[in-house]
Amino acid sequence: MDETVTDESNEDPDFPTRRHVLEPDCSRCDRLPADRTCISWGTGPLDAAVMVIGEAPAAGDPDAERWRGGNLTGKAYTASHSGRRIRRLFESIGYGGRTYYTNAVKCFPRDREADEPTHREPTAAELSTCRRHLRAELERVEPDVVCPTGKHATTSVLAIGTDGAGGSEDDDGAGTELDGFLDAVLEPIDAGIGSPVVPLLHPAYQDVWRARLGYEAAEYRTAIAETLATVR
C-alpha cells in the first residue's frame, strides 16, 4: 500500500454510505437517549488496518447538506469540521479506504444548562457503559493499530485493557486515568487490547496543540505515517 505523505486535499473525502449498528435504540445510559437525535455508529471496512476513535458526536448542524455531524447522520466522525478533517488526514497518509471511524461514546452528550444545543464532556459512567460497544468493534475489526483522538477517547481505550469486561454492569466507570496526554501523543502504547494504541490530537483542537508539540502541519502528518508504519 502506498503510504506516501501528501498535502491534505481541499476536496471532501468520501462520505460513508453505511454504518455498523451494534445495538439499535440502545438506552443503557440515563441521560443520553433523551438528548440524542441519532446514535452515531462506526463506519468503514470491517477489515480496516486502522481504527480511529473520537470522543463523542457533537450537536451537529441541521442546516448542512451532508457533513452535519454524527448526532444527525448516525455515523461517526461526519461533522463538517472534525469529521472531514480527520478523514482528510488519513487519506493524505494513504489509509483513506482502510480506516474504521467510531466514537468512545456513541450518543451526543448534551449540556442541558446551555440555551443552544451544545455538547459537554461525557461522564466516566457514560464512557464505561459505552465501552461494551467499543470493545465489540475492536474484536470485530481487529485493526492493526488503534488511534484514539484526544484524552477522553484515549482514556476509554486504555480502560478496555484493564477492566476486562469492556464496560460491565458493576464497573464504577473510573477507567484508566491518563496523565500528561500531550506526552502520550504519537507514543505507541501496549494496552493489552490486541492492537497497539497510538494517541492522536483531536482534530477540533489539532492546530493549537500541534504547535505546542513543535510540529508544522506537514510534519505532524509525516510523524503519524511513520509511527503507523512502525507499529503495524
Side-chain angles (χ1 to χ4, degrees):
M1 180 179 62
D2 183 9
E3 296 179 358
T4 302
V5 178
T6 59
D7 290 337
E8 288 185 51
S9 172
N10 289 326
E11 297 181 2
D12 283 350
D14 290 337
F15 193 85
T17 58
R18 61 173 299 196
R19 59 185 186 145
H20 302 290
V21 178
L22 296 176
E23 186 176 350
D25 302 319
C26 177
S27 58
R28 295 179 182 274
C29 293
D30 292 334
R31 295 175 56 184
L32 297 185
D35 293 334
R36 73 188 180 214
T37 300
C38 294
I39 302 176
S40 179
W41 295 111
T43 71
L46 294 180
D47 60 350
V50 180
M51 180 180 286
V52 173
I53 303 171
E55 177 182 305
D61 180 2
D63 296 324
E65 292 184 3
R66 194 169 204 184
W67 294 89
R68 296 183 296 160
N71 183 47
L72 301 176
T73 64
K75 300 171 183 176
Y77 260 141
T78 54
S80 179
H81 179 67
S82 295
R84 286 192 297 185
R85 189 166 205 191
I86 197 71
R87 289 171 184 269
R88 284 173 180 165
L89 187 153
F90 275 87
E91 285 191 2
S92 74
I93 62 174
Y95 290 89
R98 302 193 64 196
T99 304
Y100 183 100
Y101 298 90
T102 191
N103 289 317
V105 169
K106 315 301 186 192
C107 296
F108 166 50
R110 179 169 184 164
D111 181 356
R112 294 184 178 179
E113 297 181 359
D115 293 333
E116 297 293 329
T118 187
H119 70 282
R120 55 172 172 78
E121 293 182 352
T123 66
E126 289 164 351
L127 287 162
S128 174
T129 299
C130 216
R131 273 201 290 275
R132 69 180 63 246
H133 296 320
L134 191 55
R135 185 183 184 99
E137 289 176 305
L138 286 166
E139 292 176 346
R140 187 176 186 185
V141 178
E142 296 184 332
D144 295 338
V145 60
V146 176
C147 293
T149 62
K151 179 178 179 178
H152 294 292
T154 302
T155 296
S156 201
V157 170
L158 298 183
I160 291 177
T162 59
D163 68 17
S168 60
E169 296 294 344
D170 58 354
D171 189 348
D172 63 7
T176 301
E177 289 299 321
L178 182 69
D179 295 325
F181 170 70
L182 285 184
D183 293 333
V185 172
L186 288 175
E187 293 295 329
I189 302 170
D190 181 359
I193 62 172
S195 305
V197 176
V198 177
L200 301 180
L201 299 171
H202 192 285
Y205 308 104
Q206 179 177 300
D207 292 340
V208 173
W209 295 112
R210 173 176 49 74
R212 296 191 185 187
L213 290 174
Y215 289 112
E216 297 291 339
E219 293 172 336
Y220 181 58
R221 291 195 299 273
T222 297
I224 293 173
E226 292 177 346
T227 302
L228 295 186
T230 299
V231 299
R232 285 187 58 218

